[in-house]
Amino acid sequence: MPPRRPLTAGFDFMMTPQQYLIEHQARHIGQLCDYLRLPSVSAQASHREDVGRCAAWIEAHCREIGLNTELHPTRGHPIVLARTPRRPGRRPHFLVYGHYDVQPPEPIELWASPPFEPRVEGHSLFARGASDNKGQHFAHLKAVEAVLATGGELPCDLTFLIEGEEEVGSANLVPFLKQHRKSLRCDAVVISDTGMPARTLPALTYALRGIAALEVIVRGPSRDLHSGIFGGSLDNPAMALARMLAALRDRRGRITVPGFYDQVRPLTRNERRQLARLPFNERSYARFLGVPKLFGEAGFTAWEQRSARPTLEVNGLTSGYQGEGSKTIVPAAASAKLTMRLVPDQSPDVIARLVARHLKSICPPTVRLETRAGHGGLPYLLEPDTSLARAAMRTLELAFGYAPVLLREGGSIPIVTDFKRVLGADTLLLGLALPDDNAHSPNEKFDLRNFAAGARLGTLLWPELAGALAA
Ligand code: BES
Ligand code: ZN
């Protein structure tokens, strides 16, 4: 759809985009709060309509700030495209990716205020999705609004692609990319959906881990049984599963699945040196996480363990009676949700198969085992010494006022490898989230100073990137 109306009042033409951002900051925060009030939880069917409403909201908002928008339904949640008004001639084209879906807010009772009633306290804006990822891509939208509203001219074409299924594996985005390959072809993708180590340490993330999800179900008796009458004469599925899961990792933090590390590309000496320069204090890190002591794969630092080494985690574990009081049963089944985080050159299919096969091999004959492979994503690694990456680093310094670092991160954004495969484009990951933003946790927040810096970044970035392409 074409934009509804030009947004600007005349006097905004007298300002720079940066002045405009300062002038309109309170209004922009209010709009972000409106966006955050929509509970776009992609994982929960009960929120299906809310997710659709959220897509419509952000599409309308993009139109209001002067972009040409399209709302594309999929088999799952809609995809929003928003383009800056096109100019004649061949110009650089950048894609800005973000996701309007959010993680489930549970456990709700651990939130200091309701997750979908945004609350500002000091420099923090609390709400589910504040930093992951509504606040981060909203900053880029506000930057483009600022440029357009002040009569500035972008040196390139921009397409915002905002999807609603990132938190559940982006299943419908890959076919969409293929279908729209021509209009989405671009010189690079820019994503702000990662983090920075501190407010004084902006970062270009050049690697992300991949992921492979696997559900494990162990079945015992045909029904829950009285544990007094029958207990002792049959295996307990919860205990069988617990034994199997515990055996997946040794005491030195190594995953015991045969072949698990075969495709792992070792860290270079240079990377290890870079990572060792990042600030780290074991005691305060443990305190920040709330654990009595850290644990990880022996021989690697915590930064390496959490960003550049593969892992296997239990994300959920269920069996038997979970309600109030006690219930004396041998449960009929037990199940666990696992994810493995992957590094180059591991493949999600291979790893899911290896783990499933290993579980089968250690499953006792007293229970039955079922495994179901879930979503998967390849790890991402970008050569950080390109002219585009250097231009991004320069812009980070301008926007934040601090020298940036190069980072590998442990989270996953599986679509970035598809951007490369389908569109031929590298992705620049310029994260605005802080370590204590509580992504996926209760009390998620976004630092409003990073919202401002992110918007500033968005006003400065496009000339720098376009210039880097021209050079
Ligand atoms: N924003 C995160 C990814 C992220 C966070 C990358 C911090 C690097 C640093 C994203 O929204 C996310 O949570 N992705 C999922 C992907 C999964 C569901 C396929 C993840 O990493 O768990
Ligand atoms: Zn997330």
Side-chain angles (χ1 to χ4, degrees), residues 244-397:
M244 289 161 62
L245 294 177
L248 293 178
R249 195 178 71 183
D250 71 15
R251 280 164 43 189
R252 292 173 56 75
R254 294 271 297 182
I255 305 308
T256 57
V257 175
F260 188 80
Y261 293 96
D262 285 0
Q263 310 304 322
V264 172
R265 205 190 301 174
L267 275 155
T268 64
R269 216 193 285 154
N270 194 24
E271 279 187 299
R272 297 197 81 169
R273 211 177 308 129
Q274 291 256 8
L275 285 172
R277 273 205 229 123
L278 294 169
F280 183 72
N281 175 293
E282 195 169 322
R283 283 219 351 235
S284 54
Y285 183 60
R287 199 172 333 114
F288 166 63
L289 299 182
V291 294
K293 193 172 173 14
L294 296 177
F295 177 83
E297 188 185 359
F300 295 93
T301 66
W303 270 108
E304 292 167 347
Q305 289 162 349
R306 60 190 276 233
S307 67
R309 294 294 297 167
T311 60
L312 182 154
E313 303 282 354
V314 176
N315 307 129
L317 187 56
T318 313
S319 183
Y321 180 66
Q322 316 271 328
E324 196 183 341
S326 73
K327 185 183 185 196
T328 47
I329 52 166
V330 177
S335 65
K337 289 179 192 283
L338 311 183
T339 48
M340 288 68 76
R341 295 282 170 173
L342 315 176
V343 300
D345 297 307
Q346 290 177 301
S347 119
D349 294 344
V350 172
I351 291 295
R353 226 177 304 126
L354 286 178
V355 175
R357 188 176 8 148
H358 182 61
L359 284 166
K360 286 208 173 87
S361 78
I362 61 172
C363 180
T366 49
V367 291
R368 294 175 211 90
L369 176 80
E370 192 189 318
T371 55
R372 291 182 198 152
H375 60 80
L378 288 162
Y380 182 68
L381 186 67
L382 171 79
E383 161 58 51
D385 196 24
T386 63
S387 58
L388 278 179
R390 281 196 299 271
M393 293 286 273
R394 276 199 304 278
T395 321
L396 283 170
E397 180 150 10

Side-chain angles (χ1 to χ4, degrees), residues 98-214:
H99 60 94
Y100 65 81
D101 65 323
V102 303
Q103 285 275 320
E106 286 82 3
I108 307 243
E109 64 279 9
L110 295 184
W111 286 74
S113 56
F116 297 109
E117 292 175 24
R119 173 176 61 92
V120 175
E121 190 185 311
H123 293 294
S124 300
L125 170 57
F126 287 90
R128 171 57 90 226
S131 71
D132 186 6
N133 164 254
K134 289 175 176 171
Q136 295 206 47
H137 64 259
F138 205 65
H140 284 281
L141 284 170
K142 294 296 107 180
V144 170
E145 173 187 319
V147 174
L148 297 180
T150 52
E153 207 182 302
L154 287 163
C156 56
D157 295 331
L158 295 182
T159 301
F160 282 84
L161 190 169
I162 308 172
E163 71 149 320
E165 297 186 292
E166 195 275 346
E167 298 291 10
V168 290
S170 304
N172 293 297
L173 187 51
V174 180
F176 183 86
L177 290 186
K178 289 185 179 153
Q179 209 184 330
H180 295 81
R181 189 195 305 254
K182 249 177 105 185
S183 79
L184 295 178
R185 185 164 297 150
C186 56
D187 295 288
V189 182
V190 168
I191 304 182
S192 290
D193 191 25
T194 49
M196 51 198 282
R199 234 168 45 74
T200 52
L201 270 186
L204 171 72
T205 294
Y206 68 94
L208 291 172
R209 286 193 289 196
I211 193 165
L214 187 73

